[in-house]
Amino acid sequence: MPASAFSAFPDYYPADYQAIVDAATAEGKVILYAPLSTTTLRPLIEGFQTEYPGISVELNDLNTVVIYNRFISEAAGGAQSADVLWSSALDLQAKLVTDGHSLDYVSPESAHLPDWAVWQGKGAYGTTFEPMIFAYNKDALKPEQVPQTHADIARLITENLDTFSGRIASYNIETAGLGFFAITQDSKLFPEFWTLAKALGAASSRFYSSTGEMIESIASGENVFGYNQPSHASSYGRDNPSLGIVFPQDYLVIASRMAFVTAKAKNPNAGKLFLDYMLSQRGQQIIDGMGFHSLRDDVTGPMTREDLTKTYGDRLKPPVMGPELLEFLDQDKRLEFLNTWKSSLSAGQ
């Protein structure tokens, strides 16, 4: 079996890239930590192994906060850990990068990514383009009860409290890294954010750590509305006609799962191959089909960055892969934000 199923690499790859492939094949596997199941990642893993049949993928499906804590613990003890960390908790990923846990690897695909998705000199990359959206149950809400903007949420809750009370779902921002990122972005982009928070408290909103559990609760009618849902919720809607999706009309917070090869990876070459595959046109086309949406402009699909930009333009608010992501990891600032969030929820009750 050849080291790679490809007869040639793209012409912008370095001439000695085959040496990385040969070294990766000798390593034999890549250890991946990601908050995604084997079922979800199967298309990407199978695509990678089709191209590199001598390299297996050992996936550890972990919560974003667990990824951070487990990796830190393993690194401190010198234990074998992940070769690649891939997570939607951008602040926690940024903390690991700034603390020196990423390998400064310049992917040959980096020139084909938007500037904001490349953390220069750190080897960390955004890999997806995921708008944070609203979800709702079509059978439970009338069209005029469905928020179209962030400002609509507080108003409609107040006007329809009996309908929304105890039936709004969102992330538990203390346990879900993606939820914390989205909320803090809202607090900077939406001037009336704390009014919205009080309204969520007035409605006795319910908070989840699991994306799947949250979305399924909306689709089933247990909850009627979901605030700050990941855009791959739309894939659930294909199988459940009761689930409706709203792309907010005022602005769209964009989440992007950050990936990097770890500085002390046991299988660094296999890690480089897997990272490059995720960022390649081939890998991004698969990621787009999985519902996480491509950030490359040469990938086709109904919800790629290219497609969404044509529709929403500057309403899209992507993150910048860099130290700015650490803003709310300052312990005092984080605690202040969480306390204000809890106080606002309580004040609305």
Side-chain angles (χ1 to χ4, degrees):
M1 182 73 71
S4 170
F6 269 128
S7 58
F9 301 108
D11 57 11
Y12 52 84
Y13 273 47
D16 60 353
Y17 194 77
Q18 185 61 45
I20 295 178
V21 177
D22 293 342
T25 303
E27 291 166 356
K29 73 174 178 179
V30 56
I31 301 172
L32 172 67
Y33 288 4
L36 296 166
S37 69
T38 301
T39 300
T40 300
L41 283 185
R42 181 172 288 116
L44 186 68
I45 291 173
E46 290 180 349
F48 174 76
Q49 292 182 319
T50 295
E51 295 194 9
Y52 303 107
I55 306 168
S56 64
V57 179
E58 182 181 307
L59 170 64
N60 291 260
D61 173 12
L62 306 168
N63 172 278
T64 56
V65 176
V66 175
I67 287 174
Y68 177 84
N69 290 332
R70 176 169 165 177
F71 178 80
I72 285 294
S73 176
E74 291 168 342
Q80 179 175 317
S81 190
D83 301 311
V84 175
L85 291 183
W86 189 24
S87 173
S88 55
L90 291 175
D91 53 351
L92 297 179
Q93 290 286 84
K95 174 65 173 170
L96 293 174
V97 171
T98 55
D99 286 349
H101 292 293
S102 64
L103 182 69
D104 183 11
Y105 171 62
V106 180
S107 171
E109 300 290 354
S110 59
H112 294 264
L113 307 176
D115 290 343
W116 60 260
V118 180
W119 195 335
Q120 299 287 352
K122 295 294 186 178
Y125 300 89
T127 62
T128 59
F129 196 79
E130 302 177 57
M132 301 302 294
I133 60 178
F134 305 153
Y136 67 99
N137 187 285
K138 294 179 181 179
D139 299 326
L141 293 184
K142 300 173 183 177
E144 62 270 20
Q145 293 176 316
V146 180
Q148 301 298 314
T149 68
H150 292 80
D152 284 346
I153 296 174
R155 176 179 63 81
L156 289 171
I157 287 175
T158 302
E159 294 174 357
N160 303 273
L161 189 57
D162 289 346
T163 299
F164 286 104
S165 185
R167 302 179 74 189
I168 293 178
S170 194
Y171 279 113
N172 180 335
I173 66 172
E174 294 186 82
T175 58
L178 176 58
F180 184 78
F181 167 75
I183 283 284
T184 54
Q185 297 306 296
D186 278 342
S187 73
K188 293 190 289 185
L189 292 167
F190 180 43
E192 301 301 320
F193 171 75
W194 295 112
T195 299
L196 185 158
K198 290 178 182 178
L200 293 174
S204 300
S205 298
R206 305 165 71 185
F207 300 101
Y208 298 76
S209 298
S210 165
T211 300
E213 182 183 5
M214 180 168 56
I215 297 172
E216 287 169 7
S217 75
I218 301 166
S220 69
E222 177 185 352
N223 291 309
V224 299
F225 178 70
Y227 164 57
N228 270 353
Q229 306 296 297
S231 56
H232 61 270
S234 60
S235 63
Y236 289 76
R238 290 195 292 267
D239 301 322
N240 192 320
S242 295
L243 186 68
I245 299 298
V246 173
F247 282 71
Q249 295 301 304
D250 47 352
Y251 66 87
L252 283 156
V253 170
I254 302 298
S256 185
R257 296 163 194 266
M258 186 191 295
F260 57 85
V261 180
T262 58
K264 296 183 179 180
K266 182 179 180 181
N267 307 295
N269 294 287
K272 292 174 185 178
L273 282 195
F274 191 79
L275 178 65
D276 291 342
Y277 182 75
M278 283 198 293
L279 299 176
S280 71
Q281 184 183 36
R282 306 174 303 281
Q284 286 281 300
Q285 192 74 64
I286 293 174
I287 285 174
D288 190 70
M290 289 162 48
F292 299 122
H293 317 307
S294 171
L295 45 67
R296 291 179 64 119
D297 58 13
D298 57 358
V299 171
T300 58
M303 287 180 61
T304 62
R305 177 177 65 91
E306 181 81 353
D307 180 73
L308 289 170
T309 299
K310 292 176 182 176
T311 304
Y312 297 102
D314 59 9
R315 281 181 284 173
L316 302 173
K317 306 298 181 183
V320 175
M321 300 297 138
E324 297 91 342
L325 295 170
L326 293 170
E327 178 182 359
F328 287 98
L329 272 187
D330 174 85
Q331 289 304 306
D332 291 337
K333 190 162 187 175
R334 183 183 182 89
L335 184 60
E336 178 185 7
F337 184 89
L338 289 172
N339 286 339
T340 305
W341 169 251
K342 293 174 184 176
S343 297
S344 298
L345 292 175
S346 297
Q349 294 175 346

